[in-house]
Amino acid sequence: MDISHAMRVLVQVVDSGSFVRAADALGMSNAAVTRQIASLESHLGARLLHRTTRRLSLTDAGAEFCARSRVILEEIAEAEAVAGEGSAQPFGLLRISAPLSFGLMQLARFLPGFRARHPQLRLDIDLSDRVVDLANEGVDVALRIASKLDDNLVARRIAPVSMVVCASPDYLKRRGTPKVPAELVDHATLSFSYLWAGDEWPFTDANGDLTRVKVSPAVHATNGDLLRELAVAGGGIIMQPTFIVASELERGTLVPILAEYQTLELSLFAVYLSRRHLSNKVRVFIDELVSAIGEDAPRGHPKPRASAKRPSASLRRV
């Protein structure tokens, strides 16, 4: 059987929601579409679709096969376009996963220009702090903020992500300002649930000595913006990327503390599937993101207050 044609039929059936509408879109008869799906299931030895008189839905095996089929079909289409037109212009659907706060505060500023330069690209963006499975969910590239990644992942480092420990002036007036990391145990802390270090916040002093402080957070949350707002309201001390708290540091509604210590060293990575030939649309996206916010790009920083040390470099606003 023509496996690529069968993949196209399956994807169209799923996108159309019915065999009849898929047949119309493909210019095939309903019977021919039914036969293609039946032949594909027989070839794979697995049921791909649950069929009722009212609706269609993918089985677990069907969901995985359909996601992988989309990736393969898009690569075939890209290869045909490049060979036929002698052009390497990216086109088709680019699926991106990114952390929520980064997506809202950084990626959203980058994308309008990116789309203007590449009008043939369509974007499907999932903003979530969860770790996605690229292959099973059909994601082309995932942006992740971490100190390091698993060795089995293929990734490119985009930019450093600096962390800052801070609190509101009101909180520090009420509770006092910690002078050394160990004093954090006596304070209300607000912790990011997916923080790589967990609730053991690491600090390195000027001599290079590392201290891990086990905090007991008053609040755990899966979103840094929420924690920032709680901190601004005087709820406690946070450790967050400077791109999340830059405006508050500039206005003075948050004040950096323990600035003599180095905190977590994180990076923004672009993670993609291990392939012999990286998709042109993924390569272009990563290259332009590096150009916009990478280590060699010019950066802006929050203006330091006279009484506080300036936070170290981090992602600029694009």
Side-chain angles (χ1 to χ4, degrees), residues 120-229:
Q120 297 183 73
L121 267 180
R122 293 176 294 115
L123 304 180
D124 184 341
I125 303 167
D126 173 30
L127 296 183
S128 172
D129 291 319
R130 70 186 181 90
V131 177
V132 300
D133 185 321
L134 278 74
N136 288 335
E137 298 183 47
V139 174
D140 295 298
V141 58
L143 301 178
R144 294 180 185 171
I145 296 174
S147 62
K148 59 182 180 179
L149 297 174
D150 293 339
D151 292 338
N152 63 334
L153 293 175
V154 180
R156 180 174 174 185
R157 187 172 185 264
I158 303 296
V161 178
S162 293
M163 305 288 284
V164 60
V165 181
C166 54
S168 70
D170 175 65
Y171 175 86
L172 297 176
K173 182 178 180 180
R174 287 186 290 109
R175 298 289 301 272
T177 301
K179 303 301 182 185
V180 295
E183 294 180 4
L184 288 172
V185 298
D186 298 321
H187 283 265
T189 50
L190 312 171
S191 186
F192 184 56
S193 301
Y194 299 137
L195 190 67
W196 174 79
D199 291 333
E200 289 190 352
W201 292 7
F203 295 88
T204 303
D205 64 21
N207 296 321
D209 295 326
L210 174 65
T211 299
R212 295 184 183 274
V213 179
K214 178 69 174 178
V215 297
S216 299
V219 176
H220 276 112
T222 59
N223 179 256
D225 300 286
L226 172 63
L227 295 175
R228 179 196 62 217
E229 295 306 309

Side-chain angles (χ1 to χ4, degrees), residues 59-107:
T59 64
D60 290 343
E64 181 172 354
F65 184 80
C66 186
R68 292 175 183 265
S69 295
R70 291 184 190 276
V71 173
I72 292 169
L73 292 173
E74 287 167 10
E75 289 192 343
I76 292 173
E78 182 176 1
E80 290 174 341
V82 170
E85 299 175 7
S87 169
Q89 283 296 316
F91 83 102
L93 180 63
L94 177 64
R95 296 182 177 87
I96 303 166
S97 171
L100 176 59
S101 296
F102 174 81
L104 294 174
M105 305 184 76
Q106 297 277 329
L107 194 60

Side-chain angles (χ1 to χ4, degrees), residues 262-276:
Q262 175 71 45
T263 57
L264 279 172
E265 295 184 1
L266 303 179
S267 295
L268 174 69
F269 294 95
V271 181
Y272 47 92
L273 291 175
S274 176
R275 294 183 188 143
R276 193 169 190 177

